Amino acid sequence: MTINRRNFLFSLGASAALPALAPASHGAQPAAKPGAARAHVDLNGAWERLVEQAHYDLISVPSSHRPIGQFTLKREFTLPKLAPGIRAFVHFEAINYYGRVSVNDVTLGAMGPYTPYEFEFTSHAMEGTNSVSLDLADLVPFADGSGTDEIALGVNPGWEASSGIIRDVYVEMRPATFIDNVRLAYTLTEDFAKARCTAQVITSSNVPVGAEVTLRLIRNQVEVDHAEAARVKQTAKLPADAGTVEFSFDVEHPALWSPATPNLYRLEASLKSADAVDTWVCRTGFREFKAAGREFRLNGERCVLHGVCRHDMWKDQGFTLTRAQQRQDMKMIKDLGCNFVRLVHYPHDRHIVELADEIGLMVSEEPGYWQVDFKTIPRSKIELGYEILERTIRRDWNSPSVVAWLLANECSLTTEFLSEGKRRCNTLDPLHRLVSSANDRGAKITKPMYEEAGMDFFDRHLYTFNVAEFEKEADFYGPSKPLTFTEWGGRAIGQGLPEMQDTVNMLLKLEREGKIAGTSFWSWQDLRQYTRDDAEMHDGILESGAVTESREPRPAVCMELKRLFEGRPQFAPVEPRPAILPLRRIPWATRSTLMPVPLDGVLAANGAAWKAFEAAMEKYWPTVRADDQWARTGSKFELWRQSAEDEIRLAGAPFRPALVERHVRPLVAGKRFELEIPIAQRCTRLHILGGISLPLGYPMIGKAGDVAATCELLSASGKATEIPLRWGFEVVQGNMIHDGTRIQPVAAQAQAAIEYIKDAAREQYQILLYSTPRFEANMLATLRCTVADERNWIAIFAITAEKE
């Protein structure tokens, strides 16, 4: 049966939205945007499927299907008579797994999996009806053995294989001389104020020709005044076949790309010759991503990769997703808090990388190896993987989102394989992106191998309930290179809340300590993996995802991943704040002037007393069966946070405590540490916020009425006034926890003004307001406090002077 399905044909002079293409020899180029006047014939739609050369059915292209062995896909399309100098190409974004393409019964060449291929058929194009056919081997190689390596690579036990023309296919007409690709290389100056750029415009021509080649870089991809960041032009003699025109230029103050600010530029190359005009366009951006010791640094700042492992699949659709599904996927990943996506384990659709560029997600890419032993596999299969990765590099080399190439996944590696892989990546990639390999083998084997091969970072996959193993691995790999855990989790960990919480807590710890540089959770979505039957599976579906195959989120998994990506501890403490209590009586006159006494200047002189006080607090806790309390509360007596501009207001009166690193710190007096506070105010009374004893006080020690401490007020004239601070009258114990009970120490001559819960189980403090007796208005110079008992420390938080 012959399908007589005609395409709408764009006129040769019309501008069409189309992907810009790769060199004819490689066919691996990012989809470009509108701008090139190339006629474009869409070959998506219905294709006839033939099995054993007989009609079997019609299928829609692009689409993914279950492998059947071998089959042929055919369709017809319409072309006008090609004008002199016009060239015709058929372009496949991707097929699976091995195919031979023909146009008008002339075989053009063969294709492997996942990456773009294209073939020129100018000499075979006909005016009117043309036919294109693809012989596919997806499960069984052809009789001559062709497709053996491709099928072995793609059809494996790790995930469900799908075959067919899995991505777009089209015919494109181009001028005799056209632009195949642009390879942009750059380095950023140390201050990131300038990008020094080298761009290679790669051309293809039928014959040697002179041409004017122009390269433009436009900020924010929009044609507006002053948006052009660079424009360079030269006239070049282009050879027949492939040629290169090279430009060097600087971009001043480039807008840097990052997940937080995904700034993009429009890179545009144009060519004019005597008989040809062509334009090529893509998006690009500037960023620096490098390894430095144990860290990754993005644009000069430490960058921890927070990601998920994403397969390019969607339920029964295999590898063929709609644009809406692709955008939904990447947006959901971004909204989860990710800054990174590990694109596993084969090249994903180019549009996924474009979305990563646009919304701000770093990605890594892989060639398709899984559970391969590089000591035993044939060279042809090794070469296939290298070729797939090289095609992916050519396709994506201008994308700022791509930060790393992973040579393989969970394989038995050799130093030779890794070394050659890195060399080939670095040779082709204009930015020399980081190179490594996703690894599930023991560190003792792989660490020296990665070091000898010059891998840019270490990697490890860990699926374990013993979270201490993460730290053990990090310590073993050491500080010489960044370490990533590009797989962890799965169903057993991810969907077991205590296990997931413990793992996230450990990863957060290792991030804080700088021992790891990134993680990616396995996996983003559930996927099909038949034959496997274990606790991770359900009826052929690997249920390891943060979302299901249909992208319904698993709330508990997503909650913990979001916590990891935001750096939040499991029990994120709400920073305690002091509670201002209503005063039983207002001790100052309404017409009085109230002036806070500055205390920050006393901190240095009080330093030795403070050190001794903290040592006393540390020794105290074990005596009340709270051995861990000092360490539990940070091994310091730290109170609430307050800005320097803020005051404590008690019934409208201002009190200004001393601050250390923006935390309130009381001044302390002990038996051997007298406290002297300059007042330097003309006043008639002092209002002292404190009146508490630490760690012990009345009623737990002392007798009511006994003198706990003495305040001496010294005037500028030398007159001294002594005020006793008595247990139960002016001073009581500050902590309102005693043994298993909350207590309420009461001072008859002072009133509770503030309550502060430092630790709900063991440290709930009250702070008293004590007002001195009135005295004659004079210049008060100093307050001096001495303590009578070795067992206690008197704390003064703030003092306000009153002048009536």
Side-chain angles (χ1 to χ4, degrees):
M1 176 179 177
T2 301
I3 304 172
N4 190 17
R5 180 179 174 84
R6 297 292 194 268
N7 251 64
F8 176 78
L9 176 65
F10 291 101
S11 68
L12 284 178
S15 176
L18 52 97
L21 303 172
S25 59
H26 300 298
Q29 169 61 33
K33 305 303 172 194
R38 295 177 178 178
H40 181 228
V41 180
D42 187 1
L43 297 185
N44 292 344
W47 286 56
E48 180 185 14
R49 180 161 58 171
L50 297 91
V51 177
E52 299 297 337
Q53 300 182 353
H55 171 75
Y56 183 74
D57 61 3
L58 300 179
I59 65 171
S60 180
V61 167
S63 58
S64 298
H65 300 271
R66 297 182 189 178
I68 64 174
Q70 297 174 11
F71 60 95
T72 299
L73 294 174
K74 296 183 65 174
R75 68 156 297 159
E76 294 179 346
F77 61 96
T78 301
L79 289 180
K81 182 178 180 180
L82 298 184
I86 296 298
R87 301 165 67 181
F89 292 79
V90 59
H91 180 99
F92 292 80
E93 272 297 300
I95 64 137
N96 277 354
Y97 285 96
Y98 180 81
R100 295 168 175 161
V101 62
S102 300
V103 170
N104 296 329
D105 297 322
V106 177
T107 300
L108 303 179
M111 295 184 281
Y114 303 121
T115 59
Y117 284 78
E118 63 181 30
F119 305 91
E120 184 171 6
F121 67 97
T122 304
S123 60
H124 312 298
M126 299 187 298
E127 181 179 6
T129 301
N130 292 258
S131 68
V132 57
S133 65
L134 176 66
D135 295 327
L136 264 174
D138 60 15
L139 202 58
V140 178
F142 292 126
D144 62 358
S146 299
T148 299
D149 293 331
E150 290 79 0
I151 292 169
L153 183 78
V155 184
N156 64 63
W159 58 89
E160 184 176 33
S162 296
S163 80
I165 301 173
I166 61 172
R167 296 173 191 150
D168 293 338
V169 55
Y170 53 85
V171 165
E172 189 172 77
M173 275 68 72
R174 307 173 191 169
T177 303
F178 64 88
I179 298 169
D180 276 342
N181 205 338
V182 176
R183 182 179 185 267
L184 177 65
Y186 60 85
T187 57
L188 293 164
T189 56
E190 189 174 344
D191 60 0
F192 302 101
K194 181 184 293 187
R196 295 192 171 97
C197 306
T198 301
Q200 295 174 321
V201 178
I202 303 166
T203 62
S204 176
S205 182
N206 279 338
V207 295
V209 64
E212 181 183 84
V213 181
T214 303
L215 189 76
R216 301 173 66 216
L217 196 63
I218 302 163
R219 290 188 181 93
N220 302 320
Q221 316 161 65
V222 179
E223 292 273 13
V224 295
D225 290 343
H226 310 300
E228 191 172 78
R231 177 196 286 263
V232 285
K233 180 189 296 186
Q234 64 174 282
T235 299
K237 183 71 173 178
L238 303 180
D241 200 17
T244 299
V245 181
E246 188 164 307
F247 296 92
S248 295
F249 57 94
D250 291 343
V251 174
E252 301 289 340
H253 305 293
L256 299 181
W257 184 97
S258 72
T261 56
N263 295 306
L264 292 174
Y265 287 73
R266 174 186 170 97
L267 179 62
E268 178 184 295
S270 59
L271 178 152
K272 291 182 182 179
S273 67
D275 58 356
V277 175
D278 194 42
T279 301
W280 180 101
V281 175
C282 83
R283 295 188 301 188
T284 192
F286 294 101
R287 57 109 187 102
E288 179 186 79
F289 187 82
K290 66 180 184 179
R294 270 185 154 165
E295 297 178 354
F296 293 131
R297 291 183 185 167
L298 176 63
N299 302 331
E301 297 182 357
R302 184 190 180 208
C303 176
V304 179
L305 299 181
H306 290 144
V308 292
C309 299
R310 177 190 182 271
H311 267 281
D312 203 16
M313 300 176 181
W314 192 294
K315 209 169 182 180
D316 292 318
Q317 296 170 216
F319 302 113
T320 309
L321 281 66
T322 67
R323 288 289 189 260
Q325 287 171 332
Q326 291 171 332
R327 180 169 288 275
Q328 176 186 336
D329 236 18
M330 298 298 274
K331 187 175 185 304
M332 287 178 71
I333 292 171
K334 178 80 172 184
D335 290 345
L336 184 62
C338 293
N339 63 10
F340 170 70
V341 190
R342 181 183 166 206
L343 302 180
V344 298
H345 294 294
Y346 42 81
H348 291 207
D349 193 314
R350 166 64 190 169
H351 190 60
I352 291 295
V353 179
E354 291 179 328
L355 286 168
D357 291 339
E358 175 187 325
I359 68 178
L361 283 168
M362 295 176 284
V363 302
S364 61
E365 301 197 74
E366 307 173 26
Y369 290 125
W370 179 76
Q371 296 295 344
V372 167
D373 186 347
F374 286 102
K375 297 185 292 293
T376 61
I377 66 167
R379 176 65 196 186
S380 59
K381 190 172 179 181
I382 295 176
E383 192 61 38
L384 171 64
Y386 286 148
E387 181 185 351
I388 291 171
L389 191 54
E390 287 171 336
R391 287 178 169 275
T392 306
I393 292 171
R394 290 188 184 94
R395 187 190 73 174
D396 296 338
W397 55 23
N398 292 321
S399 283
S401 62
V402 182
V403 296
W405 312 113
L406 297 179
L407 298 174
N409 176 63
E410 298 185 344
C411 294
S412 295
L413 301 166
T414 66
T415 302
E416 294 73 22
F417 167 75
L418 296 175
S419 298
E420 182 180 357
K422 182 178 181 185
R423 177 183 58 76
R424 292 174 72 150
C425 288
N426 288 169
T427 298
L428 193 59
D429 180 3
L431 300 185
H432 290 189
R433 290 169 173 87
L434 304 185
V435 180
S436 190
S437 185
N439 169 52
D440 68 341
R441 310 301 154 97
K444 290 182 179 179
I445 299 172
T446 56
K447 181 186 178 184
M449 194 180 299
Y450 278 48
E451 289 172 331
E452 185 179 349
M455 295 292 96
D456 294 303
F457 58 97
F458 298 122
D459 186 66
R460 189 73 166 93
H461 295 174
L462 274 184
Y463 295 91
T464 177
F465 292 100
N466 181 7
V467 297
E469 290 185 29
F470 285 94
E471 188 163 25
K472 182 179 177 182
E473 290 285 327
D475 289 339
F476 182 83
Y477 278 104
S480 63
K481 298 176 187 289
L483 169 65
T484 55
F485 292 115
T486 58
E487 284 189 28
W488 68 277
R491 180 183 183 182
I493 301 297
Q495 296 172 42
L497 186 56
E499 294 84 358
M500 184 67 164
Q501 289 172 335
D502 288 347
T503 306
V504 169
N505 291 341
M506 174 55 75
L507 295 176
L508 284 172
K509 175 181 183 292
L510 296 177
E511 284 184 11
R512 286 193 303 269
E513 294 173 354
K515 291 183 177 181
I516 60 173
T519 61
S520 50
F521 177 77
W522 183 270
S523 57
W524 165 239
Q525 86 272 34
D526 294 350
L527 63 140
R528 305 295 172 99
Q529 187 180 1
Y530 291 92
T531 303
R532 179 177 173 181
D533 186 16
D534 56 36
E536 298 284 302
M537 303 296 300
H538 179 71
D539 293 342
I541 299 174
L542 177 60
E543 294 187 332
S544 59
V547 299
T548 68
E549 285 187 289
S550 301
R551 275 44 176 193
E552 292 94 1
R554 290 190 169 96
V557 181
C558 292
M559 175 185 70
E560 283 301 300
L561 286 176
K562 198 167 185 67
R563 179 168 75 83
L564 172 63
F565 301 154
E566 292 176 355
R568 288 186 285 112
Q570 181 178 349
F571 302 107
V574 176
E575 185 167 342
R577 302 295 303 162
I580 307 299
L581 305 178
L583 298 178
R584 299 196 312 273
R585 61 186 182 278
I586 306 300
W588 42 80
T590 56
R591 293 189 299 273
S592 294
T593 301
L594 300 171
M595 301 159 290
V597 175
L599 299 183
D600 288 296
V602 189
L603 286 170
N606 198 231
W610 183 260
K611 185 176 180 180
F613 161 70
E614 285 199 318
M617 292 294 293
E618 182 179 9
K619 291 178 181 178
Y620 163 72
W621 288 115
T623 69
V624 290
R625 302 187 305 279
D627 300 54
D628 64 337
Q629 182 64 10
W630 188 245
R632 184 168 174 258
T633 55
S635 298
K636 56 186 174 180
F637 190 79
E638 187 174 76
L639 302 177
W640 67 90
R641 188 187 301 268
Q642 183 170 308
S643 70
E645 296 77 24
D646 289 343
E647 296 176 332
I648 297 171
R649 288 267 170 178
L650 300 178
F655 290 81
R656 189 170 297 155
L659 302 178
V660 174
E661 295 180 351
R662 301 189 66 183
H663 285 267
V664 168
R665 174 177 289 184
L667 303 174
V668 294
K671 174 68 173 176
R672 294 179 292 107
F673 295 91
E674 187 177 83
L675 173 61
E676 189 169 298
I677 302 174
I679 303 298
Q681 301 271 10
R682 182 172 292 277
C683 55
T684 56
R685 197 178 194 188
L686 293 181
H687 302 282
I688 302 172
L689 189 60
I692 60 171
S693 175
L694 300 166
L696 292 170
Y698 183 81
M700 307 321 303
I701 62 171
K703 294 181 180 180
D706 284 356
V707 175
T710 301
C711 276
E712 187 178 23
L713 304 180
L714 301 174
S715 69
S717 64
K719 181 181 178 180
T721 303
E722 192 173 275
I723 301 173
L725 302 179
R726 300 163 294 171
W727 289 128
F729 286 82
E730 294 83 19
V731 180
V732 295
Q733 179 170 302
N735 193 0
M736 298 188 292
I737 300 289
H738 175 68
D739 282 343
T741 301
R742 291 177 295 174
I743 62 174
Q744 187 72 51
V746 173
Q749 299 300 320
Q751 50 186 323
I754 294 175
E755 285 187 2
Y756 174 68
I757 301 175
K758 176 174 166 62
D759 175 64
R762 292 171 176 165
E763 295 183 75
Q764 299 188 21
Y765 293 102
Q766 64 173 339
I767 302 172
L768 304 184
L769 176 65
Y770 166 65
S771 301
T772 67
R774 287 181 173 83
F775 42 80
E776 284 187 28
N778 59 34
M779 179 61 71
L780 187 61
T782 305
L783 179 150
R784 184 179 295 146
C785 182
T786 57
V787 176
D789 196 322
E790 287 277 2
R791 295 174 294 174
N792 65 285
W793 294 75
I794 299 297
I796 294 178
F797 285 77
I799 300 174
T800 290
E802 179 184 2
K803 181 183 178 184
E804 295 181 357

